[in-house]
Amino acid sequence: MTQTVVFAPLVGWPVIWVLAGVAVALVILAVWRGLAGWWLRGLGLAALVLALSNPALQEEQRANLSDIVILVVDESASQGLGDRAAQTAAAVAAVEAEVAALPNTELRIRRVGDGADDAGTLALTALAEVLAEEPRARVAGAILITDGRVHDLGLVPNLPAPLQVLLTGRAADWDRRLVVRDAPAFAIIGEEFNLTLRIEDIGAVPAGVGGEVDLTISVDAEAPATYRVPMNTDLDLPVTLPHGGANVLQFSVAPVAGELTDRNNAAAIQINGVRDRLRVLLVSGEPHAGERVWRNLLKSDAAVDLVHFTILRPPEKQDGVPVDELSLIAFPTRELFVEKIEEFDLIIFDRYRMRGILPMSYIENVVNYVRGGGTVLVAAGPEYGAVDSLYRSPLAEILPVAPTAQVVEGGFRPALTDLGRRHPVTEGLEDEAPEGGWGRWFRAIEVQLLDGQVLMTGPRDLPLLVLNRVGQGRVAVLASDHAWLWGRGYEGGGPQLELLRRLAHWMLKEPDLEEETLTATVRGEAMTITRRSLKEVPPGPVKVIGPDGAQALVDLPEVSPGKYEAVWQAPELGLYRLEQDDLTRVIAVGPAAPREFVETIASGAELAPLAEASRGGVTRLEDGTPDIRQVAEGRPAVGRGWIGVTPREAYLTTDVNVAPFLPAWAWLLIAAGLAVAAWLVEGRRGAKAA
């Protein structure tokens, strides 16, 4: 129980202070006039002022509350390095025992792991959350067991008591790490750009370690190459992306005995390869309704440089038109088909026939261009079966179909083959067909299959769309010139633009349209593994090799014809390798070296200012677990071999009783008695003087 004096004034405090001032003035006047009862007058006036102030005695019944010590334990990945986990466990046990020995003190423990999405260690966030949950008046101190590598230093909790940092790790720790800087998200295929790498040793590096190391570099699943490079130096590495889409570049150095971890000895970055400009050569043998289809498709893409020419007048036609009026400029056939043919990404022959404009040697250049990695698409019309067909030229060496010289006239609906339903060029096109099916075409060229893959058929199940690989290049034949009917919406039309777009991108070797592929995409820590295959037998499980070498087998159920997919939860961040049959894929879940392994040397330098501002400090557990003492508020709370917490002496008021010192009539009686006494004293003195 505690007793205190409280006031409940009968009038406002300004009035009381004015009256008190008047009373003091009257007492001073009485003293100046030499009145013998001045002190009685002062006491009487004081009694009146106290009566107006209405003093009372307040008695409180209090229940003392215990102090609270907050313990935040860092259990992030970096705390698993060396013997930090053992240091942490021993420190937690010691703190629990020390706090239990303190009188009237409780311990609150919050454990912190790795933050989501590679956010790192959010220890200060956890401390702020615990502070928000507990009454601040009871918090006697906070203790943080960590290696000092926290990643939310921008959050500074408002601490009502000392913060103590117990630092794990060893002063002799050292580590080697590989850092990639200035890595672009996109790069142009075939054009060189620079990456900046740095391999450095940090911490208490032993003598004799350093100099030069072997740096291993690989792109996707290709064979790695090794180079000897200097340590602790920024390295400008020239890189050229080999293909479009995602390119995963991996860099690694061998582990060294004695370093803390090899998780940061490797780095992987994903750079999307994009084409600067697609150079397409479109050769139209004669004007026709479908010619505009190809031109619109290619011109609709701003990234396509299109060279298009149409033969409007065959050489054998004699109509008396002067030669100098046949064209504005001489057509640069030699420049296109001899000097610059390798610069084109795709050559399209649209209803082209051999009329003597292109010499056979130029056509042979096209054949060599395809064998070396180029692509040719033949959109065939009735001319394909004529005597001047492209098939009667050296191009026949690489064409997958041979004409029979027959043209099938009459309505038919193009249909996908079983292979076409699985092939990425035509997969899913039937799902977009209007009610009643695609619109009809009315002309197809009868051809015989020589090689390749038939994705679409026409009348009498004749091959309509055939793809083939020749050497390093690709060839496609569309045995009809009526695809434009779909573009016009005839009888509901069909997926003309999507079909031609996919066909063109397959010709350009876009990875997403390859027939046999193993791909993976990552969202958070969930990995979506996709396998495309044209094989009749479903592929087996995918072997997933994690960053720590652990292996897992993932079964891929079929989600659509030729497409197998599964979602697999990665157990940790890092670089994963996927293997199935002869296909290999490398994918990074988060960075190859997570944020927890970027800085691995324990250090209290970043937390020291925060601890010192609260009169706490940083103590290394390597020197032994400190004792915990109670220190007065405002005193230093850390010393050699000990740390302090501040008792808060918080309490809970259970009952309050307020009683006035005297009733109002008693104050008036006292004031009146003092006034009478003053009158009597002064009256007697005046009588004696008389």
PDB file of all heavy atoms in Angstrom, residues 637-670:
ATOM      1  N   ALA A 637      25.232  -0.595 -18.990  1.00  0.00           N
ATOM      2  CA  ALA A 637      24.654  -1.927 -18.788  1.00  0.00           C
ATOM      3  C   ALA A 637      25.505  -3.017 -19.420  1.00  0.00           C
ATOM      4  O   ALA A 637      24.988  -4.082 -19.782  1.00  0.00           O
ATOM      5  CB  ALA A 637      23.238  -1.971 -19.353  1.00  0.00           C
ATOM      6  N   VAL A 638      26.797  -2.801 -19.592  1.00  0.00           N
ATOM      7  CA  VAL A 638      27.668  -3.829 -20.133  1.00  0.00           C
ATOM      8  C   VAL A 638      29.054  -3.639 -19.547  1.00  0.00           C
ATOM      9  O   VAL A 638      29.496  -2.509 -19.289  1.00  0.00           O
ATOM     10  CB  VAL A 638      27.708  -3.774 -21.681  1.00  0.00           C
ATOM     11  CG1 VAL A 638      28.299  -2.459 -22.171  1.00  0.00           C
ATOM     12  CG2 VAL A 638      28.474  -4.958 -22.269  1.00  0.00           C
ATOM     13  N   GLY A 639      29.724  -4.729 -19.292  1.00  0.00           N
ATOM     14  CA  GLY A 639      31.065  -4.673 -18.746  1.00  0.00           C
ATOM     15  C   GLY A 639      31.810  -5.948 -19.064  1.00  0.00           C
ATOM     16  O   GLY A 639      31.322  -6.824 -19.796  1.00  0.00           O
ATOM     17  N   ARG A 640      32.981  -6.092 -18.522  1.00  0.00           N
ATOM     18  CA  ARG A 640      33.811  -7.261 -18.779  1.00  0.00           C
ATOM     19  C   ARG A 640      33.183  -8.503 -18.125  1.00  0.00           C
ATOM     20  O   ARG A 640      33.123  -8.616 -16.904  1.00  0.00           O
ATOM     21  CB  ARG A 640      35.219  -7.037 -18.231  1.00  0.00           C
ATOM     22  CG  ARG A 640      36.205  -8.149 -18.569  1.00  0.00           C
ATOM     23  CD  ARG A 640      37.579  -7.823 -18.007  1.00  0.00           C
ATOM     24  NE  ARG A 640      38.540  -8.853 -18.338  1.00  0.00           N
ATOM     25  CZ  ARG A 640      39.237  -8.915 -19.471  1.00  0.00           C
ATOM     26  NH1 ARG A 640      39.061  -7.974 -20.383  1.00  0.00           N
ATOM     27  NH2 ARG A 640      40.099  -9.874 -19.695  1.00  0.00           N
ATOM     28  N   GLY A 641      32.711  -9.401 -18.968  1.00  0.00           N
ATOM     29  CA  GLY A 641      32.139 -10.651 -18.464  1.00  0.00           C
ATOM     30  C   GLY A 641      30.710 -10.545 -17.990  1.00  0.00           C
ATOM     31  O   GLY A 641      30.178 -11.521 -17.448  1.00  0.00           O
ATOM     32  N   TRP A 642      30.035  -9.405 -18.182  1.00  0.00           N
ATOM     33  CA  TRP A 642      28.645  -9.289 -17.741  1.00  0.00           C
ATOM     34  C   TRP A 642      27.877  -8.331 -18.633  1.00  0.00           C
ATOM     35  O   TRP A 642      28.449  -7.466 -19.293  1.00  0.00           O
ATOM     36  CB  TRP A 642      28.564  -8.830 -16.289  1.00  0.00           C
ATOM     37  CG  TRP A 642      29.096  -7.425 -16.062  1.00  0.00           C
ATOM     38  CD1 TRP A 642      30.391  -7.076 -15.814  1.00  0.00           C
ATOM     39  CD2 TRP A 642      28.337  -6.216 -16.090  1.00  0.00           C
ATOM     40  NE1 TRP A 642      30.504  -5.714 -15.682  1.00  0.00           N
ATOM     41  CE2 TRP A 642      29.241  -5.152 -15.836  1.00  0.00           C
ATOM     42  CE3 TRP A 642      26.996  -5.905 -16.292  1.00  0.00           C
ATOM     43  CZ2 TRP A 642      28.843  -3.820 -15.794  1.00  0.00           C
ATOM     44  CZ3 TRP A 642      26.594  -4.576 -16.247  1.00  0.00           C
ATOM     45  CH2 TRP A 642      27.512  -3.548 -16.001  1.00  0.00           C
ATOM     46  N   ILE A 643      26.589  -8.513 -18.651  1.00  0.00           N
ATOM     47  CA  ILE A 643      25.669  -7.596 -19.319  1.00  0.00           C
ATOM     48  C   ILE A 643      24.554  -7.289 -18.335  1.00  0.00           C
ATOM     49  O   ILE A 643      24.313  -8.045 -17.380  1.00  0.00           O
ATOM     50  CB  ILE A 643      25.082  -8.191 -20.620  1.00  0.00           C
ATOM     51  CG1 ILE A 643      24.357  -9.506 -20.344  1.00  0.00           C
ATOM     52  CG2 ILE A 643      26.156  -8.376 -21.665  1.00  0.00           C
ATOM     53  CD1 ILE A 643      23.666 -10.103 -21.555  1.00  0.00           C
ATOM     54  N   GLY A 644      23.888  -6.166 -18.529  1.00  0.00           N
ATOM     55  CA  GLY A 644      22.889  -5.735 -17.562  1.00  0.00           C
ATOM     56  C   GLY A 644      21.508  -5.553 -18.145  1.00  0.00           C
ATOM     57  O   GLY A 644      21.339  -5.298 -19.343  1.00  0.00           O
ATOM     58  N   VAL A 645      20.526  -5.701 -17.272  1.00  0.00           N
ATOM     59  CA  VAL A 645      19.146  -5.351 -17.573  1.00  0.00           C
ATOM     60  C   VAL A 645      18.690  -4.365 -16.511  1.00  0.00           C
ATOM     61  O   VAL A 645      19.243  -4.316 -15.407  1.00  0.00           O
ATOM     62  CB  VAL A 645      18.230  -6.588 -17.593  1.00  0.00           C
ATOM     63  CG1 VAL A 645      18.620  -7.528 -18.717  1.00  0.00           C
ATOM     64  CG2 VAL A 645      18.257  -7.315 -16.257  1.00  0.00           C
ATOM     65  N   THR A 646      17.697  -3.556 -16.824  1.00  0.00           N
ATOM     66  CA  THR A 646      17.235  -2.491 -15.930  1.00  0.00           C
ATOM     67  C   THR A 646      15.893  -2.862 -15.309  1.00  0.00           C
ATOM     68  O   THR A 646      14.888  -2.963 -16.028  1.00  0.00           O
ATOM     69  CB  THR A 646      17.102  -1.167 -16.707  1.00  0.00           C
ATOM     70  OG1 THR A 646      18.353  -0.845 -17.297  1.00  0.00           O
ATOM     71  CG2 THR A 646      16.664  -0.060 -15.778  1.00  0.00           C
ATOM     72  N   PRO A 647      15.834  -3.065 -13.970  1.00  0.00           N
ATOM     73  CA  PRO A 647      14.530  -3.344 -13.332  1.00  0.00           C
ATOM     74  C   PRO A 647      13.578  -2.178 -13.547  1.00  0.00           C
ATOM     75  O   PRO A 647      13.953  -1.012 -13.377  1.00  0.00           O
ATOM     76  CB  PRO A 647      14.894  -3.524 -11.858  1.00  0.00           C
ATOM     77  CG  PRO A 647      16.357  -3.834 -11.844  1.00  0.00           C
ATOM     78  CD  PRO A 647      16.941  -3.111 -13.008  1.00  0.00           C
ATOM     79  N   ARG A 648      12.353  -2.472 -13.871  1.00  0.00           N
ATOM     80  CA  ARG A 648      11.386  -1.415 -14.193  1.00  0.00           C
ATOM     81  C   ARG A 648      10.431  -1.131 -13.042  1.00  0.00           C
ATOM     82  O   ARG A 648       9.741  -0.107 -13.039  1.00  0.00           O
ATOM     83  CB  ARG A 648      10.598  -1.795 -15.445  1.00  0.00           C
ATOM     84  CG  ARG A 648      11.456  -2.046 -16.667  1.00  0.00           C
ATOM     85  CD  ARG A 648      12.382  -0.872 -17.012  1.00  0.00           C
ATOM     86  NE  ARG A 648      11.651   0.331 -17.258  1.00  0.00           N
ATOM     87  CZ  ARG A 648      11.090   0.665 -18.431  1.00  0.00           C
ATOM     88  NH1 ARG A 648      11.211  -0.157 -19.454  1.00  0.00           N
ATOM     89  NH2 ARG A 648      10.442   1.793 -18.574  1.00  0.00           N
ATOM     90  N   GLU A 649      10.335  -2.016 -12.043  1.00  0.00           N
ATOM     91  CA  GLU A 649       9.462  -1.827 -10.891  1.00  0.00           C
ATOM     92  C   GLU A 649       8.034  -1.471 -11.308  1.00  0.00           C
ATOM     93  O   GLU A 649       7.390  -0.576 -10.761  1.00  0.00           O
ATOM     94  CB  GLU A 649      10.026  -0.750  -9.956  1.00  0.00           C
ATOM     95  CG  GLU A 649      11.397  -1.113  -9.388  1.00  0.00           C
ATOM     96  CD  GLU A 649      11.956  -0.033  -8.476  1.00  0.00           C
ATOM     97  OE1 GLU A 649      11.328   1.047  -8.407  1.00  0.00           O
ATOM     98  OE2 GLU A 649      12.997  -0.258  -7.857  1.00  0.00           O
ATOM     99  N   ALA A 650       7.554  -2.134 -12.320  1.00  0.00           N
ATOM    100  CA  ALA A 650       6.188  -1.894 -12.785  1.00  0.00           C
ATOM    101  C   ALA A 650       5.195  -2.526 -11.813  1.00  0.00           C
ATOM    102  O   ALA A 650       5.502  -3.490 -11.107  1.00  0.00           O
ATOM    103  CB  ALA A 650       5.996  -2.473 -14.177  1.00  0.00           C
ATOM    104  N   TYR A 651       4.013  -1.958 -11.735  1.00  0.00           N
ATOM    105  CA  TYR A 651       2.995  -2.463 -10.816  1.00  0.00           C
ATOM    106  C   TYR A 651       1.616  -2.276 -11.434  1.00  0.00           C
ATOM    107  O   TYR A 651       1.429  -1.524 -12.405  1.00  0.00           O
ATOM    108  CB  TYR A 651       3.061  -1.732  -9.473  1.00  0.00           C
ATOM    109  CG  TYR A 651       2.837  -0.244  -9.580  1.00  0.00           C
ATOM    110  CD1 TYR A 651       1.543   0.296  -9.534  1.00  0.00           C
ATOM    111  CD2 TYR A 651       3.913   0.629  -9.739  1.00  0.00           C
ATOM    112  CE1 TYR A 651       1.334   1.653  -9.649  1.00  0.00           C
ATOM    113  CE2 TYR A 651       3.707   1.984  -9.851  1.00  0.00           C
ATOM    114  CZ  TYR A 651       2.423   2.501  -9.809  1.00  0.00           C
ATOM    115  OH  TYR A 651       2.222   3.854  -9.934  1.00  0.00           O
ATOM    116  N   LEU A 652       0.658  -2.930 -10.821  1.00  0.00           N
ATOM    117  CA  LEU A 652      -0.736  -2.835 -11.226  1.00  0.00           C
ATOM    118  C   LEU A 652      -1.543  -2.366 -10.022  1.00  0.00           C
ATOM    119  O   LEU A 652      -1.488  -2.971  -8.948  1.00  0.00           O
ATOM    120  CB  LEU A 652      -1.255  -4.187 -11.708  1.00  0.00           C
ATOM    121  CG  LEU A 652      -2.727  -4.248 -12.127  1.00  0.00           C
ATOM    122  CD1 LEU A 652      -2.964  -3.376 -13.349  1.00  0.00           C
ATOM    123  CD2 LEU A 652      -3.141  -5.684 -12.399  1.00  0.00           C
ATOM    124  N   THR A 653      -2.246  -1.242 -10.142  1.00  0.00           N
ATOM    125  CA  THR A 653      -3.067  -0.697  -9.058  1.00  0.00           C
ATOM    126  C   THR A 653      -4.372  -1.471  -8.977  1.00  0.00           C
ATOM    127  O   THR A 653      -5.157  -1.493  -9.928  1.00  0.00           O
ATOM    128  CB  THR A 653      -3.344   0.797  -9.285  1.00  0.00           C
ATOM    129  OG1 THR A 653      -2.092   1.499  -9.349  1.00  0.00           O
ATOM    130  CG2 THR A 653      -4.190   1.360  -8.168  1.00  0.00           C
ATOM    131  N   THR A 654      -4.596  -2.095  -7.810  1.00  0.00           N
ATOM    132  CA  THR A 654      -5.806  -2.907  -7.641  1.00  0.00           C
ATOM    133  C   THR A 654      -6.932  -2.171  -6.927  1.00  0.00           C
ATOM    134  O   THR A 654      -8.106  -2.514  -7.091  1.00  0.00           O
ATOM    135  CB  THR A 654      -5.465  -4.182  -6.848  1.00  0.00           C
ATOM    136  OG1 THR A 654      -4.937  -3.802  -5.568  1.00  0.00           O
ATOM    137  CG2 THR A 654      -4.422  -5.014  -7.599  1.00  0.00           C
ATOM    138  N   ASP A 655      -6.574  -1.139  -6.101  1.00  0.00           N
ATOM    139  CA  ASP A 655      -7.622  -0.409  -5.377  1.00  0.00           C
ATOM    140  C   ASP A 655      -7.095   0.978  -5.030  1.00  0.00           C
ATOM    141  O   ASP A 655      -5.901   1.138  -4.737  1.00  0.00           O
ATOM    142  CB  ASP A 655      -8.017  -1.139  -4.099  1.00  0.00           C
ATOM    143  CG  ASP A 655      -9.238  -0.498  -3.429  1.00  0.00           C
ATOM    144  OD1 ASP A 655     -10.061   0.088  -4.171  1.00  0.00           O
ATOM    145  OD2 ASP A 655      -9.349  -0.576  -2.194  1.00  0.00           O
ATOM    146  N   VAL A 656      -7.974   1.988  -5.084  1.00  0.00           N
ATOM    147  CA  VAL A 656      -7.621   3.373  -4.770  1.00  0.00           C
ATOM    148  C   VAL A 656      -8.665   3.934  -3.802  1.00  0.00           C
ATOM    149  O   VAL A 656      -9.875   3.812  -4.057  1.00  0.00           O
ATOM    150  CB  VAL A 656      -7.539   4.238  -6.044  1.00  0.00           C
ATOM    151  CG1 VAL A 656      -7.246   5.690  -5.679  1.00  0.00           C
ATOM    152  CG2 VAL A 656      -6.491   3.709  -6.999  1.00  0.00           C
ATOM    153  N   ASN A 657      -8.206   4.574  -2.690  1.00  0.00           N
ATOM    154  CA  ASN A 657      -9.104   5.199  -1.712  1.00  0.00           C
ATOM    155  C   ASN A 657      -8.617   6.620  -1.466  1.00  0.00           C
ATOM    156  O   ASN A 657      -7.467   6.828  -1.075  1.00  0.00           O
ATOM    157  CB  ASN A 657      -9.108   4.403  -0.402  1.00  0.00           C
ATOM    158  CG  ASN A 657     -10.088   4.981   0.600  1.00  0.00           C
ATOM    159  OD1 ASN A 657     -11.107   5.564   0.216  1.00  0.00           O
ATOM    160  ND2 ASN A 657      -9.781   4.844   1.880  1.00  0.00           N
ATOM    161  N   VAL A 658      -9.478   7.595  -1.687  1.00  0.00           N
ATOM    162  CA  VAL A 658      -9.126   9.009  -1.530  1.00  0.00           C
ATOM    163  C   VAL A 658      -9.996   9.601  -0.412  1.00  0.00           C
ATOM    164  O   VAL A 658     -11.230   9.526  -0.480  1.00  0.00           O
ATOM    165  CB  VAL A 658      -9.330   9.785  -2.839  1.00  0.00           C
ATOM    166  CG1 VAL A 658      -8.975  11.251  -2.634  1.00  0.00           C
ATOM    167  CG2 VAL A 658      -8.488   9.173  -3.954  1.00  0.00           C
ATOM    168  N   ALA A 659      -9.330  10.201   0.604  1.00  0.00           N
ATOM    169  CA  ALA A 659     -10.061  10.823   1.733  1.00  0.00           C
ATOM    170  C   ALA A 659      -9.506  12.226   1.964  1.00  0.00           C
ATOM    171  O   ALA A 659      -8.280  12.400   2.058  1.00  0.00           O
ATOM    172  CB  ALA A 659      -9.903   9.983   2.987  1.00  0.00           C
ATOM    173  N   PRO A 660     -10.383  13.256   2.066  1.00  0.00           N
ATOM    174  CA  PRO A 660      -9.884  14.613   2.312  1.00  0.00           C
ATOM    175  C   PRO A 660      -9.260  14.717   3.708  1.00  0.00           C
ATOM    176  O   PRO A 660      -9.665  14.024   4.643  1.00  0.00           O
ATOM    177  CB  PRO A 660     -11.133  15.479   2.177  1.00  0.00           C
ATOM    178  CG  PRO A 660     -12.267  14.561   2.451  1.00  0.00           C
ATOM    179  CD  PRO A 660     -11.857  13.210   1.966  1.00  0.00           C
ATOM    180  N   PHE A 661      -8.251  15.623   3.840  1.00  0.00           N
ATOM    181  CA  PHE A 661      -7.623  15.823   5.150  1.00  0.00           C
ATOM    182  C   PHE A 661      -8.636  16.351   6.170  1.00  0.00           C
ATOM    183  O   PHE A 661      -8.733  15.857   7.284  1.00  0.00           O
ATOM    184  CB  PHE A 661      -6.450  16.809   5.023  1.00  0.00           C
ATOM    185  CG  PHE A 661      -5.180  16.145   4.582  1.00  0.00           C
ATOM    186  CD1 PHE A 661      -4.775  16.197   3.261  1.00  0.00           C
ATOM    187  CD2 PHE A 661      -4.385  15.471   5.491  1.00  0.00           C
ATOM    188  CE1 PHE A 661      -3.606  15.594   2.864  1.00  0.00           C
ATOM    189  CE2 PHE A 661      -3.214  14.868   5.091  1.00  0.00           C
ATOM    190  CZ  PHE A 661      -2.813  14.921   3.770  1.00  0.00           C
ATOM    191  N   LEU A 662      -9.383  17.394   5.790  1.00  0.00           N
ATOM    192  CA  LEU A 662     -10.375  18.015   6.682  1.00  0.00           C
ATOM    193  C   LEU A 662     -11.592  18.408   5.864  1.00  0.00           C
ATOM    194  O   LEU A 662     -11.466  18.752   4.675  1.00  0.00           O
ATOM    195  CB  LEU A 662      -9.797  19.259   7.365  1.00  0.00           C
ATOM    196  CG  LEU A 662      -8.654  19.034   8.386  1.00  0.00           C
ATOM    197  CD1 LEU A 662      -8.095  20.389   8.817  1.00  0.00           C
ATOM    198  CD2 LEU A 662      -9.140  18.256   9.598  1.00  0.00           C
ATOM    199  N   PRO A 663     -12.742  18.413   6.465  1.00  0.00           N
ATOM    200  CA  PRO A 663     -13.911  18.932   5.750  1.00  0.00           C
ATOM    201  C   PRO A 663     -13.800  20.448   5.593  1.00  0.00           C
ATOM    202  O   PRO A 663     -13.024  21.111   6.283  1.00  0.00           O
ATOM    203  CB  PRO A 663     -15.077  18.527   6.647  1.00  0.00           C
ATOM    204  CG  PRO A 663     -14.499  18.333   8.000  1.00  0.00           C
ATOM    205  CD  PRO A 663     -13.104  17.858   7.793  1.00  0.00           C
ATOM    206  N   ALA A 664     -14.607  20.996   4.729  1.00  0.00           N
ATOM    207  CA  ALA A 664     -14.515  22.429   4.425  1.00  0.00           C
ATOM    208  C   ALA A 664     -14.806  23.281   5.657  1.00  0.00           C
ATOM    209  O   ALA A 664     -14.145  24.307   5.888  1.00  0.00           O
ATOM    210  CB  ALA A 664     -15.499  22.767   3.305  1.00  0.00           C
ATOM    211  N   TRP A 665     -15.766  22.878   6.510  1.00  0.00           N
ATOM    212  CA  TRP A 665     -16.105  23.693   7.685  1.00  0.00           C
ATOM    213  C   TRP A 665     -14.947  23.725   8.667  1.00  0.00           C
ATOM    214  O   TRP A 665     -14.739  24.717   9.376  1.00  0.00           O
ATOM    215  CB  TRP A 665     -17.382  23.163   8.366  1.00  0.00           C
ATOM    216  CG  TRP A 665     -17.275  21.727   8.842  1.00  0.00           C
ATOM    217  CD1 TRP A 665     -17.645  20.621   8.187  1.00  0.00           C
ATOM    218  CD2 TRP A 665     -16.751  21.295  10.105  1.00  0.00           C
ATOM    219  NE1 TRP A 665     -17.409  19.494   8.907  1.00  0.00           N
ATOM    220  CE2 TRP A 665     -16.858  19.882  10.124  1.00  0.00           C
ATOM    221  CE3 TRP A 665     -16.230  21.971  11.234  1.00  0.00           C
ATOM    222  CZ2 TRP A 665     -16.430  19.115  11.211  1.00  0.00           C
ATOM    223  CZ3 TRP A 665     -15.822  21.196  12.310  1.00  0.00           C
ATOM    224  CH2 TRP A 665     -15.892  19.787  12.293  1.00  0.00           C
ATOM    225  N   ALA A 666     -14.113  22.620   8.689  1.00  0.00           N
ATOM    226  CA  ALA A 666     -12.972  22.607   9.611  1.00  0.00           C
ATOM    227  C   ALA A 666     -11.918  23.617   9.172  1.00  0.00           C
ATOM    228  O   ALA A 666     -11.301  24.305  10.001  1.00  0.00           O
ATOM    229  CB  ALA A 666     -12.396  21.206   9.690  1.00  0.00           C
ATOM    230  N   TRP A 667     -11.698  23.699   7.856  1.00  0.00           N
ATOM    231  CA  TRP A 667     -10.733  24.683   7.346  1.00  0.00           C
ATOM    232  C   TRP A 667     -11.190  26.100   7.690  1.00  0.00           C
ATOM    233  O   TRP A 667     -10.377  26.954   8.085  1.00  0.00           O
ATOM    234  CB  TRP A 667     -10.558  24.530   5.825  1.00  0.00           C
ATOM    235  CG  TRP A 667      -9.777  23.315   5.405  1.00  0.00           C
ATOM    236  CD1 TRP A 667     -10.257  22.234   4.762  1.00  0.00           C
ATOM    237  CD2 TRP A 667      -8.387  23.089   5.611  1.00  0.00           C
ATOM    238  NE1 TRP A 667      -9.272  21.313   4.532  1.00  0.00           N
ATOM    239  CE2 TRP A 667      -8.091  21.821   5.051  1.00  0.00           C
ATOM    240  CE3 TRP A 667      -7.368  23.812   6.227  1.00  0.00           C
ATOM    241  CZ2 TRP A 667      -6.818  21.269   5.071  1.00  0.00           C
ATOM    242  CZ3 TRP A 667      -6.089  23.264   6.236  1.00  0.00           C
ATOM    243  CH2 TRP A 667      -5.815  22.002   5.677  1.00  0.00           C
ATOM    244  N   LEU A 668     -12.500  26.345   7.549  1.00  0.00           N
ATOM    245  CA  LEU A 668     -13.023  27.684   7.860  1.00  0.00           C
ATOM    246  C   LEU A 668     -12.888  27.982   9.359  1.00  0.00           C
ATOM    247  O   LEU A 668     -12.557  29.108   9.768  1.00  0.00           O
ATOM    248  CB  LEU A 668     -14.491  27.781   7.435  1.00  0.00           C
ATOM    249  CG  LEU A 668     -14.745  27.745   5.918  1.00  0.00           C
ATOM    250  CD1 LEU A 668     -16.239  27.758   5.635  1.00  0.00           C
ATOM    251  CD2 LEU A 668     -14.084  28.956   5.249  1.00  0.00           C
ATOM    252  N   LEU A 669     -13.125  26.971  10.175  1.00  0.00           N
ATOM    253  CA  LEU A 669     -12.999  27.151  11.620  1.00  0.00           C
ATOM    254  C   LEU A 669     -11.557  27.460  12.011  1.00  0.00           C
ATOM    255  O   LEU A 669     -11.286  28.346  12.841  1.00  0.00           O
ATOM    256  CB  LEU A 669     -13.502  25.897  12.343  1.00  0.00           C
ATOM    257  CG  LEU A 669     -13.548  25.972  13.891  1.00  0.00           C
ATOM    258  CD1 LEU A 669     -14.488  27.109  14.333  1.00  0.00           C
ATOM    259  CD2 LEU A 669     -14.003  24.651  14.475  1.00  0.00           C
ATOM    260  N   ILE A 670     -10.596  26.749  11.359  1.00  0.00           N
ATOM    261  CA  ILE A 670      -9.178  26.992  11.644  1.00  0.00           C
ATOM    262  C   ILE A 670      -8.796  28.404  11.230  1.00  0.00           C
ATOM    263  O   ILE A 670      -8.110  29.142  11.963  1.00  0.00           O
ATOM    264  CB  ILE A 670      -8.304  25.951  10.936  1.00  0.00           C
ATOM    265  CG1 ILE A 670      -8.519  24.564  11.562  1.00  0.00           C
ATOM    266  CG2 ILE A 670      -6.829  26.331  11.005  1.00  0.00           C
ATOM    267  CD1 ILE A 670      -7.834  23.445  10.800  1.00  0.00           C
TER     268      ILE A 670
END
